[in-house]
Amino acid sequence: MAKTSDKDILKLIKTDENAGFRLLLKEFQQPVYFHIRQMVYNHDDANDITQNVFLKVYRNLSSFKGESKLFTWIYRIATNEALNFIQQKSRKNNVSFEDVSYELSKNLEADIYFDGDEAAIRLEQAVSQLPEKQQLIFRMKYFEELKYDEIAEILDISVGGLKSNYHHAVKKLENFLKDENLEKD
């Protein structure tokens, strides 16, 4: 099925706001949910945050100038909402972003919506221990298979800085998983 263009979605929103927004949801709700789910790990939290994202999108559609893709604009809102969620937990519990992320990742085994195996859980837990920016970049590149220029636009950083962060994240993950395997032997 061909994706609907931003131009067509925005045009429909101008002529029939409800139909246009339903089309926008049809195109973006599922990928946004999974993007958020990668960050917060919990189905219910991801659902709540996704709803908040689309409320913000709906309220701010008139301010969308089309200088970026609709996808990029919505993903930036989604990323910020998920980060705010984790940072609120971090402040509330007086721990680091990485500590909160790791604690959230430890619930994956009990999550009925997670269909990964033990290796996937180990990878998720390893990723959760990366610094915030490296987590984001790694998740978007590795799990969501976004292009560097898309990630750079979403996170508002240079492609060079992004590639460097991704490289450092991969090296840290390799070391973490290698060390974990040595501990098991």
Side-chain angles (χ1 to χ4, degrees), residues 2 5 9 15 23 25 28 33-34 39 44 57 96 105 109-110 118 122 137 146-147 152 154 161 165 174 180-181:
S5 74
I9 293 171
T15 59
L23 181 58
L25 284 172
F28 296 108
Y33 165 82
F34 285 110
M39 296 169 67
D44 293 330
V57 166
S96 72
S105 76
E109 291 177 67
E118 184 181 331
R122 285 182 37 230
I137 292 167
L146 298 179
K147 296 177 183 151
I154 291 165
N165 272 290
E174 287 172 352
E180 187 181 77
N181 283 336

Side-chain angles (χ1 to χ4, degrees), residues 10-23:
L10 294 169
K11 186 174 161 185
L12 183 56
I13 287 170
K14 286 183 180 175
T15 59
D16 183 346
E17 187 176 53
N18 289 333
F21 194 72
R22 279 194 304 275
L23 181 58

Side-chain angles (χ1 to χ4, degrees), residues 80-167:
N80 289 335
E81 287 295 303
L83 288 175
N84 288 341
F85 173 83
I86 296 169
Q87 288 164 347
Q88 285 173 350
K89 282 189 171 290
S90 172
R91 282 191 297 275
K92 180 180 172 190
N93 297 318
N94 202 26
V95 295
S96 72
F97 176 93
E98 292 79 11
D99 288 343
V100 169
S101 188
Y102 181 68
E103 285 304 312
L104 291 170
S105 76
K106 288 179 15 182
N107 297 322
L108 280 176
E109 291 177 67
D111 188 337
I112 61 171
Y113 297 102
F114 182 75
D115 62 357
D117 59 8
E118 184 181 331
I121 290 172
R122 285 182 37 230
L123 178 59
E124 285 289 352
Q125 290 176 340
V127 171
S128 73
Q129 295 178 58
L130 293 170
E132 178 182 329
K133 188 179 280 188
Q134 289 178 7
Q135 279 188 44
L136 283 170
I137 292 167
F138 184 82
R139 289 180 193 293
M140 289 180 182
K141 183 68 181 148
Y142 183 81
F143 293 118
E144 297 180 54
E145 299 177 348
L146 298 179
K147 296 177 183 151
Y148 283 119
D149 59 332
E150 291 173 318
I151 301 168
E153 193 171 343
I154 291 165
L155 299 178
D156 197 25
I157 59 175
S158 72
V159 172
L162 187 147
K163 286 181 177 180
S164 175
N165 272 290
Y166 182 74
H167 174 76

